[in-house]
Amino acid sequence: MAFSGRTARYLKYILIGIAAGVANGLFGSGGGTIAVPAMVFLLDADEHKAHATALLIILPLTLVSAYFYLSQNYVDWNITWKAMVGGVVGGAIGAFLLNKCPSNILRKIFGIFMILAAIRMIF
């Protein structure tokens, strides 16, 4: 069964969303590590737009995942409040830097971060 170009593109959108949602729900994060490269390589999105778009994709995923984690009482509120403050500050700094960073450098930083995170997870 062949799909039209438009249908194939919509299927890519949906599959990227499903993959990001599963990663976010299963690992508590990681949707961006799937969504950003997928948008860049599968949808030919601009690097900056892919990063910004990933944040908006992840927001509702995070809310849904958080509901399930909260309902199972998996949240350590002592850690949560402290990390939230740092996360808000870091998010503002990161959003500012996103506008200043060239795409080729942004891609390298993101790739290095993913490699370091993978190595940390393995060891």
Side-chain angles (χ1 to χ4, degrees), residues 31-46:
T33 59
I34 290 171
V36 171
M39 285 186 279
V40 169
F41 296 117
L42 297 177
L43 302 175
D44 296 321
D46 170 74

Side-chain angles (χ1 to χ4, degrees), residues 68-90:
F68 286 101
Y69 289 135
L70 286 167
S71 69
Q72 296 297 313
N73 201 28
Y74 286 144
V75 177
D76 182 335
W77 287 103
N78 189 40
I79 295 170
T80 301
W81 296 117
K82 294 169 188 168
M84 273 186 189
V85 172
V88 168
V89 172

